[in-house]
Amino acid sequence: MALKTKQQYIESLRKLKPTVYMFGEKIENPVDNPRIFAGISATATTYELAEMDEYRDLITTASPFTGEVVNRFTLPAQSIEDLVMRVKINRILGGYTGTCFQRCTGLDCLGALSIVTHNIDQKYGTHYRDRFIDFLRYMQTNDLAGNAGVTDVKGDRSLSPHQQEDRDLYLRVVEKNREGITVRGAKAHQTGSLSSHEIIVLPTRALRKEDEAYAVAFAIPADAKGLIHIVGRSSLDTRELEGVDCGNVRYSKYCPTLIFNDVFVPWDRVFMCGEVEFAGEIVGRFSAYHRQSHGGCKAGKIDAMIGAAQIMAEYNGTSKVSHIKEKIIDMIHRAETLYGCSLAASYEGKKEPSGTYFIDPVLANASKIHEGKEMAEVGRLLVDVAGGFVADLPSDKDLENSEIGPLLQKYLKGAADVPTMNRIKMFRLVEKMVLESADTISDIHGGGSAAAHRITISRESDMEYKKRCAKRLAGIEG
Ligand code: SF4
């Protein structure tokens, strides 16, 4: 079976028994916890769309590794078309969910590993690529969701991993034997770790010889022994537990911290172990893929934000006001610039020696820098158009109160032909899309910090070419 239905996906998560904590309590059944289920529902859309006639041909394709039709979220790009399709899919899913659907980081890991395992094997005669392809086939055949365990907690940022007072502040190998390795450490911001079947771990940074124990890449099931998911607090999170004022009534995002408390990994799941000079390449490839990915999903989220702005203007009776129209146009051009940049990163991609296609890293990072600033501006414009009730709308519970509910219905009315509750629902959605910390912070830090994006652009840009252009025009020789 190469494709799961949405329901089969949800049921497959029920079979896992991960160790989960949230708000100080152990969660025995994460799938049925409303906070976590809202996130799982977002990931489930990647399965749902594969079942829909309208999207099936976009989101599924034949895999050269299994010979079967697979979900593109399990296939490292085999062509420029694959790179382009993923941006298009992300845009559709971003608009469909209005939030993060959490399945992309796993694919970004598969892409990075499919390139770098080959490169390591070429240098050292190792067999990481064969192991990786076996794992890839397993992911594809079972239509699994992967989660990227990349961001270490890092301790003192001025020190390298082996210099930390507590050497576990970067995930490391603490033991090796004939059967496999044991790892210890923690990975932060693990969006969707409980929506995933597999956790795919990569190093978080370039490493030196002394950091050999930290140069490790592997995959483990989300319920591996010793792995603990601690769901992070984020703004608005208790709304889903209370079941009111959620804004986005279907989907949400949650981000656990993962603690690897001496987790055993068998050798057949280890894809790098000690090859320090490849740590920088593997995280660089992952990050560049993920920055391309963001350009699609965030353009899609802006689509939903533009829709909300237009509807709020109609509900408020301001849709014909010229400055409101201009603000909505300003939102549209930001979405299209982001999308265009990510598409360009895909069209300018190149085939790597392993056969996998890699995006243009300068364009992918330019897209991400644009996102970091412009998503905030889009949010500001949306709040500007919608109005001040985004900040302090009375709760649905107040609207249900027999004494004050009718008064609120009367005084929260906008345009006469619009039911008050529709206006209230749209205010709530605006609040969710603009002010939920889990999703909005990823506009800035998702796929690495803004400084990391700039470093990549600086490293990958052909500055000599640009200087030659300027010298020729100025008539300077040499
Ligand atoms: Fe995918 Fe990342 Fe966008 Fe979430 S934020 S939908 S994981 S690209």
Side-chain angles (χ1 to χ4, degrees), residues 73 86 90 93-94 97 99-106 108 191 253 289-298 368 371 438-439 442-443 446-447:
F73 278 96
R86 95 165 288 198
N90 275 16
L93 284 164
T97 60
T99 186
C100 169
F101 37 90
Q102 307 153 39
R103 202 176 173 188
C104 321
T105 63
D108 298 325
T191 306
K253 173 175 180 175
Y289 274 129
H290 197 54
R291 292 161 195 170
Q292 170 227 19
S293 218
H294 263 240
C297 79
K298 300 296 180 177
K368 188 67 186 62
E371 175 200 330
D439 206 21
S442 94
D443 303 341

